[in-house]
Amino acid sequence: MAISPKIVISDLKAPVNGILVVITNDDLDFGPAAKAALKPSGDLFQRVAKIEKFKGKRNKVLDLAAPAGLKLEHVLVVGVGKAKDMKAEDWLKVGGTVMGRLPAAGRNVTVLAELPGGKLSADDAAQVALGMKLRAYKFDRYKTKKKPEDEEKPHTVEIKLGVGDVAAAKKTWSRANGVGDGIILARELVNEPPNVLFPVEFARRASELKKLGVQVEVLDEPAMKKLGMNALLAVGQGSERDSRLVVMRWNGAKKKSETPIAIVGKGVCFDTGGISIKPAASMEDMKGDMAGAACVTGLMHALAARKAEANVIGVIGIVENMPDGNSYRPGDILKSYSGQTIEVINTDAEGRLVLCDALAYTNERFKPKLMIDLATLTGAILVALGQEYAGMFSNDDKLAERLTEAGKVTGEHVWRMPLGPVYDKMIDSKFADMKNTGGRFAGSITAAQFLHRYVGKTPWAHLDIAGTGMAAHNTEIGDSWGPGWGVRLLNEFIAAHYEK
Ligand code: BES
Ligand code: MN
Ligand code: ZN
């Protein structure tokens, strides 16, 4: 990580030096502290704004030479357009945009977090800081030749957010910072190469959450064999690397006996397709086929770090799908944990085999209020929704509605797709209870129908994140290949409904 900014919340009276960031709107107004700071420069800002055609539009930045008489390097003026229309996600993006414009390292940065018309709320200020933290993340561990700007030491940027209610903002930021660490953990896991992050190593990293007070249990192959998780085990059978199932528990609810909610993740550390091997083009991307499990792990980190007042179970099935003399084959019939039998048609439809055992086990053992699974499950969801929305499938309208709302708040959007008997029958098998693929059409839906057969009556939502969970394009909040998608979504979902 090139920059790991230390973000400090302080009041507006704190001395300003280094780089100053001020917020303006599309009337080019400033708050009182920014006005005072810019005063020595006279009408410099107005003149430069005119030359540069800077209109204060959202996420546009104007770089100003520092006014004389102040210990400043320069001033970044960032536009927010119509300030009253700014939502949480927009403040996050402002933070990211600002960080993207800062020189690499070692500078003192002061962000005057105030609005032209008044104070910025503690929540919005925390979003600005979170956006900065996320944008600063870089995955460059394996580069031995760093760019000169990355070599500058020390790699810290101290950001002082000047806000009205400093105590409130400090508290809010300490929680948002924990969520940020969870997102960065999820990114890190997705970015790691598959020779480094194999199932046992993934389980070890998840076990580190114990330090934050998360209870972590790791099931090895003999334990899973004993439980009858033959679908999950079949996928890992062709790999030299052992499979694992990890159960993480955060018991933060005021009432300790509160029924938990459960989040389940697909963790295929590398997906070659197995005997139904994938073509070579872009196969390296399949190191990200554990993005669902990464999200669950990052979420558990976030919940523990911010001491969420909810009981949440995180379960991840972690395997590697390889071709080998001992691999599972098309034609094999597997007896899953639930007792239902599966005819394997295609060994590349492995994610649902991992999840069906993880879901059925979670449901039976914990009897959760609801279950949500995340999985890079089908290429077909990329065809349908691209990289902008995750596909959502649910047997419960209220749950679907709440996830949609959390998506709107965080900008991690989900789009509901259909389920129903007409799709369900597409996975009936001639030889077993079901087959693991449903043919060429409706690929994401038949995959979801498969999972649906393992959740009983428990309210459940499946998020197909093959498009959103990996190979992310650059945004205001980062250029990481693994975006850490879903941590903010589920954190918001839990905060909004399960911590009251
Ligand atoms: N991990 C893949 C899905 C995937 C594709 C994720 C592209 C991210 C980007 C999954 O295991 C898979 O191979 N699915 C098959 C299912 C098919 C064999 C029914 C697919 O989508 O082609
Ligand atoms: Mn596959
Ligand atoms: Zn896969």
Side-chain angles (χ1 to χ4, degrees):
M1 269 170 273
I3 313 174
S4 60
K6 185 173 157 230
I7 303 183
V8 181
I9 306 267
S10 62
D11 63 33
L12 293 174
K13 289 183 234 43
V16 170
N17 54 39
I19 299 164
L20 176 68
V21 180
V22 297
I23 291 166
T24 192
N25 59 12
D26 57 8
D27 292 326
L28 300 184
D29 282 341
F30 293 99
K35 263 190 198 143
L38 290 173
K39 203 162 180 207
S41 65
D43 65 350
L44 178 70
F45 165 71
Q46 281 75 11
R47 283 186 288 135
V48 179
K50 203 161 182 190
I51 294 164
E52 297 288 333
K53 298 193 175 61
F54 176 83
K55 304 233 161 60
K57 292 224 176 81
R58 197 163 297 173
N59 289 321
K60 296 279 183 241
V61 180
L62 187 69
D63 213 333
L64 279 187
L70 280 175
K71 280 204 209 119
L72 285 175
E73 288 176 46
H74 61 164
V75 180
L76 290 179
V77 183
V78 52
V80 299
K82 300 251 173 295
K84 65 170 175 18
D85 297 342
M86 291 287 285
K87 295 201 226 36
E89 190 209 353
D90 299 315
W91 287 113
L92 185 80
K93 288 181 178 168
V94 163
T97 300
V98 166
M99 184 53 90
R101 294 291 292 256
L102 296 177
R107 306 303 216 287
N108 209 357
V109 178
T110 304
V111 181
L112 291 184
E114 54 168 5
L115 291 172
K119 301 245 157 63
L120 199 65
S121 76
D123 282 342
D124 290 342
Q127 288 299 310
V128 174
L130 179 58
M132 299 186 87
K133 179 184 175 96
L134 293 177
R135 179 65 177 261
Y137 169 75
K138 261 201 174 63
F139 184 74
D140 59 4
R141 178 171 305 145
Y142 299 101
K143 286 197 181 282
T144 62
K145 296 184 186 69
K146 306 243 154 86
K147 295 194 198 112
E149 65 265 29
D150 293 337
E151 290 286 19
E152 285 180 51
K153 299 268 182 324
H155 287 174
T156 15
V157 172
E158 201 165 312
I159 298 154
K160 292 178 181 154
L161 286 159
V163 291
D165 189 344
V166 176
K170 275 190 170 152
K171 227 189 217 159
T172 319
W173 167 236
S174 105
R175 285 194 293 262
N177 194 15
V179 175
D181 287 334
I183 296 165
I184 287 171
L185 170 61
R187 287 179 173 182
E188 198 80 354
L189 292 166
V190 176
N191 286 331
E192 282 283 28
N195 58 329
V196 171
L197 195 82
F198 45 90
V200 170
E201 172 61 13
F202 196 143
R204 189 192 66 75
R205 293 199 189 186
S207 299
E208 288 187 347
L209 294 185
K210 283 180 192 160
K211 288 182 204 149
L212 295 175
V214 177
Q215 299 167 35
V216 184
E217 222 179 290
V218 180
L219 275 61
D220 62 8
E221 289 192 351
M224 287 190 276
K225 182 94 215 145
K226 213 162 145 200
L227 287 161
M229 295 189 176
N230 301 310
L232 184 154
L233 287 167
V235 177
Q237 194 176 295
S239 170
E240 290 287 323
R241 316 281 204 181
D242 271 4
S243 304
R244 291 288 184 270
L245 186 100
V246 180
V247 179
M248 296 165 268
R249 306 174 71 170
W250 172 250
N251 279 316
K254 284 213 183 78
K255 196 172 130 223
K256 291 293 154 214
S257 61
E258 180 82 40
T259 311
I261 68 171
I263 319 289
V264 179
K266 167 181 173 180
V268 177
C269 292
F270 195 72
D271 180 13
T272 63
I275 297 301
S276 316
I277 198 161
K278 287 180 181 295
S282 302
M283 202 204 272
E284 69 279 10
D285 282 357
M286 285 301 118
K287 72 172 184 175
D289 207 18
M290 30 54 72
C295 172
V296 174
T297 311
L299 175 72
M300 297 309 289
H301 182 114
L303 295 174
R306 72 171 179 81
K307 300 202 166 36
E309 292 184 347
N311 288 350
V312 182
I313 312 266
V315 177
I316 54 177
I318 12 183
V319 301
E320 184 181 54
N321 188 20
M322 297 290 271
D324 178 75
N326 192 42
S327 289
Y328 78 131
R329 293 155 288 257
D332 282 2
I333 293 180
L334 314 171
K335 193 176 180 81
S336 68
Y337 173 84
S338 77
Q340 300 178 89
T341 57
I342 304 158
E343 180 192 5
V344 176
I345 302 296
N346 189 321
T347 63
D348 197 11
E350 84 298 338
R352 63 201 75 181
L353 299 174
V354 173
L355 282 175
C356 75
D357 279 352
L359 282 166
Y361 174 73
T362 303
N363 199 24
E364 185 179 303
R365 177 168 167 197
F366 298 107
K367 301 189 173 42
K369 245 187 232 157
L370 59 92
M371 294 198 286
I372 299 170
D373 77 74
L374 297 103
T376 47
L377 206 60
T378 66
I381 206 68
L382 268 151
V383 177
L385 301 173
Q387 294 194 284
E388 318 312 320
Y389 278 65
M392 172 175 64
F393 301 82
S394 183
N395 60 1
D396 188 274
D397 291 343
K398 189 170 110 191
L399 173 55
E401 178 61 31
R402 287 178 166 184
L403 283 168
T404 303
E405 282 311 309
K408 287 179 187 163
V409 173
T410 57
E412 294 187 330
H413 292 289
V414 299
W415 191 261
R416 192 172 184 183
M417 305 277 286
L419 286 169
V422 284
Y423 294 113
D424 182 70
K425 69 176 190 322
M426 289 166 76
I427 53 167
D428 285 340
S429 154
K430 197 169 160 124
F431 302 107
D433 296 334
M434 70 199 79
K435 48 189 185 181
N436 79 330
T437 63
R440 239 167 61 72
F441 294 155
S444 304
I445 307 176
T446 50
Q449 290 295 163
F450 184 98
L451 301 178
H452 187 221
R453 292 190 184 200
Y454 293 86
V455 300
K457 296 219 167 346
T458 306
W460 153 81
H462 155 58
L463 304 180
D464 193 334
I465 61 167
T468 56
M470 49 183 266
H473 40 227
N474 300 351
T475 69
E476 288 89 344
I477 55 168
D479 57 6
S480 173
W481 187 85
W485 193 96
V487 176
R488 285 189 304 116
L489 172 77
L490 294 176
N491 179 64
E492 166 63 25
F493 167 80
I494 290 165
H497 303 290
Y498 302 95
E499 295 189 57
K500 304 270 143 71

